[in-house]
């Protein structure tokens, strides 16, 4: 009988919502994914890294305000 192998999930799940003023009022964007932090990383390190990466990938969001940030273990 064949067994199904599953890929290991990353250890944490994050949600980050950003808002920036626009001509029509404001734009919001929410990002979410899983991540396995390197040894010794702090919650702040992860937040700063996410903001930097999002700003590089989406330059119009580089100066956006954080509306929501959550980082939790990716387990039930």
């Amino acid at each position: 009988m064949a067994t199904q192998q599953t890929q290991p999930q990353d250890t944490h799940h994050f949600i980050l919502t950003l808002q920036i003023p626009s001509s029509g009022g404001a734009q919001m964007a929410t990002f979410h994914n899983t991540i396995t932090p390197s040894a010794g990383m702090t919650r702040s390190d992860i937040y700063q890294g996410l903001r930097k990466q999002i700003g590089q990938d989406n330059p119009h969001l580089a100066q956006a305000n954080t509306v929501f940030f959550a980082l939790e273990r990716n387990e039930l």
Side-chain angles (χ1 to χ4, degrees):
M1 174 185 275
T3 59
Q4 182 180 5
Q5 294 182 358
T6 59
Q7 291 182 331
Q9 293 183 338
D10 292 324
T11 62
H12 290 73
H13 178 258
F14 70 85
I15 302 172
L16 176 59
T17 300
L18 303 174
Q19 180 179 24
I20 191 161
S22 69
S23 60
Q27 289 183 336
M28 292 185 84
T30 297
F31 301 86
H32 64 93
N33 208 339
T34 57
I35 186 171
T36 297
S38 300
M41 284 186 81
T42 66
R43 186 177 182 86
S44 179
D45 293 336
I46 293 170
Y47 170 77
Q48 294 298 327
L50 291 170
R51 287 299 314 256
K52 181 178 179 182
Q53 186 64 52
I54 290 168
Q56 289 172 348
D57 294 345
N58 307 276
H60 67 286
L61 293 175
Q63 299 302 315
N65 297 309
T66 299
V67 176
F68 180 78
F69 174 65
L71 176 70
E72 298 181 16
R73 297 224 21 110
N74 190 30
E75 60 185 29
L76 295 175

